[in-house]
Amino acid sequence: MTEHIFYLSDINLLEVYGVNDNRLSMIQAGYPDVKIVARGDELKISGEEPRIDKLKNILGYLFDEIRRKGSITENRFSEILTPEHKVTESGSTPDKEVLLFGSGGGVIKPKTSGQKLIIEAANRYDVVFAVGPAGTGKTYMAVAMAVKALKEKRVKKIILSRPAVDAGESLGFLPGDMKEKVDPYLRPMYDALEDMIHAEKLKFYLQQNVIEVAPLAFMRGRTLSNAFIILDEAQNTTEMQMRMFLTRLGENSKMIITGDDTQIDLPHRVRSGLVQATRLFASVKGIGIVYLKGSDVVRHKIVKEILTAYEQEDKERGGY
């Protein structure tokens, strides 16, 4: 006897279960020797191993098609379930680099060697630093890993944080309440989340605090357990702020810290916590440090040329 659980929080459950569970009944009718239990966005199948392996591949293929297309017809649903339909042995993820399917059905996976290193480091270590220029997808990959961990129930929440402003997090001069003050600084994180989670589900997660997006100052005094925690724009943390943030790590949690050490906007003579941390932890076991390059830029192709030009001038000047 063996079992497998599908986590379906990223797709429309009506497309899986059908009206009055008619599609679920269709699956059960085709596999009467397999026990199928649906609880919300979890679908568990259990039975003899050969049958479970076959149904797992078929359902994985079916769910991926729903993710890609957003919906599926009754005829297509039946076709995939028929014994004659060919499903690859790899089942739901023929491409092993796929992290998840986005809210629009697109595939989200690393596109460059640097991004692949971030994924490998995050799978291996509980604390990872990803350092590199703008446009290399550091934050996007970190958020993708966090969303994947949440969907697979490996963590209970996601915490996304940034220094709210370039230096000192002085928000008082901005109009509006606290949320209105900090949201512009946290917008890149919201953009990534919207790419990966359907709007209604994302709204629910934010309302229930399953996903928390907050300025760095809000982390003080907390212990962050059973969470996937991301600190973005970390080059603009002070040494004291970085120390405070890193020591928030609790049980069963992971941290990814991203930043660009060439774009430090701290006041003169205030040292960057990111620069200090990557120096201190270069040889510490259990901490991964990944450096991305201009070749990892995934924005408009001209961005690579822009970065190359700036890097050349920096060399000629002897650095900052």
Side-chain angles (χ1 to χ4, degrees):
M1 182 73 71
T2 186
E3 67 176 37
H4 180 79
I5 299 176
F6 290 96
Y7 300 105
L8 306 173
S9 60
D10 57 341
I11 59 179
N12 185 350
L13 293 179
L14 184 62
E15 295 294 326
V16 176
Y17 299 154
V19 178
N20 297 323
D21 288 343
N22 69 310
R23 290 184 171 180
L24 196 60
S25 298
M26 195 184 304
I27 298 170
Q28 185 67 81
Y31 291 82
D33 53 340
V34 173
K35 184 178 180 181
I36 301 174
V37 178
R39 289 194 179 95
D41 59 9
E42 293 186 11
L43 181 68
K44 182 169 77 171
I45 57 175
S46 55
E48 296 302 317
E49 187 170 355
R51 296 291 282 168
I52 292 300
D53 287 345
K54 182 176 181 180
L55 183 56
K56 182 172 69 173
N57 285 343
I58 289 173
L59 292 182
Y61 185 95
L62 174 67
F63 299 154
D64 278 356
E65 183 156 325
I66 294 173
R67 287 185 180 99
R68 290 194 302 272
K69 297 180 178 179
S71 63
I72 191 170
T73 65
E74 293 290 338
N75 286 341
R76 179 59 178 159
F77 193 94
S78 299
E79 179 187 349
I80 292 174
L81 289 177
T82 59
E84 295 78 18
H85 186 75
K86 301 296 182 183
V87 177
T88 59
E89 188 176 337
S90 57
S92 63
T93 54
D95 186 343
K96 293 182 179 179
E97 291 184 347
V98 172
L99 294 173
L100 61 151
F101 291 88
S103 56
V107 171
I108 296 174
K109 65 178 182 178
K111 296 180 179 179
T112 69
S113 58
Q115 290 184 1
K116 290 176 184 176
L117 289 174
I118 294 175
I119 304 306
E120 291 170 6
N123 286 329
R124 184 176 179 184
Y125 302 112
D126 287 339
V127 178
V128 174
F129 289 84
V131 184
T136 50
K138 307 180 298 295
T139 304
Y140 199 82
M141 284 296 102
V143 173
M145 290 293 288
V147 172
K148 179 178 173 68
L150 182 65
K151 288 181 176 181
E152 294 177 353
K153 313 290 186 182
R154 289 185 281 115
V155 297
K156 293 182 179 179
K157 70 182 302 180
I158 296 173
I159 299 172
L160 309 174
S161 187
R162 264 188 163 199
V165 292
D166 290 340
E169 304 187 48
S170 301
L171 304 175
F173 68 93
L174 293 172
D177 60 20
M178 180 56 70
K179 185 177 187 301
E180 291 170 331
K181 289 174 188 287
V182 302
D183 271 2
Y185 299 99
L186 305 173
R187 188 68 245 175
M189 291 182 161
Y190 285 115
D191 290 343
L193 288 170
E194 287 168 0
D195 273 0
M196 299 171 197
I197 303 174
H198 290 285
E200 286 303 312
K201 193 72 172 183
L202 177 57
K203 182 179 178 181
F204 172 79
Y205 282 154
L206 290 168
Q207 288 175 341
Q208 298 298 313
N209 224 29
V210 174
I211 297 179
E212 179 183 349
V213 186
L216 179 60
F218 286 23
M219 298 298 108
R220 190 172 300 278
R222 300 176 62 181
T223 299
L224 308 175
S225 302
N226 300 304
F228 201 116
I229 311 144
I230 299 171
L231 175 61
D232 192 35
E233 294 291 323
Q235 75 276 6
N236 288 329
T237 61
T238 65
E239 293 180 348
M240 186 175 294
Q241 286 173 328
M242 179 63 78
R243 182 173 181 172
M244 176 274 292
F245 179 80
L246 292 174
T247 54
R248 301 307 93 200
L249 186 67
E251 291 295 320
N252 191 40
S253 289
K254 279 184 179 286
M255 273 186 178
I256 298 184
I257 299 96
T258 68
D260 179 358
D261 56 6
T262 69
Q263 293 191 16
I264 298 171
D265 299 308
L266 293 168
H268 184 56
R269 293 184 179 177
V270 176
R271 295 187 298 187
S272 168
L274 177 65
V275 173
Q276 181 196 42
T278 51
R279 184 185 74 249
L280 288 177
F281 307 138
S283 58
V284 174
K285 291 182 179 179
I287 295 179
I289 302 177
V290 177
Y291 291 96
L292 294 94
K293 306 173 184 176
S295 58
D296 292 305
V297 171
V298 290
R299 289 181 184 167
H300 193 290
K301 60 184 179 181
I302 198 63
V303 174
K304 291 184 181 181
E305 302 301 324
I306 292 170
L307 287 169
T308 299
Y310 276 116
E311 288 168 1
Q312 182 60 37
E313 178 158 305
D314 289 345
K315 289 179 182 178
E316 292 171 359
R317 289 179 174 179
Y320 289 109

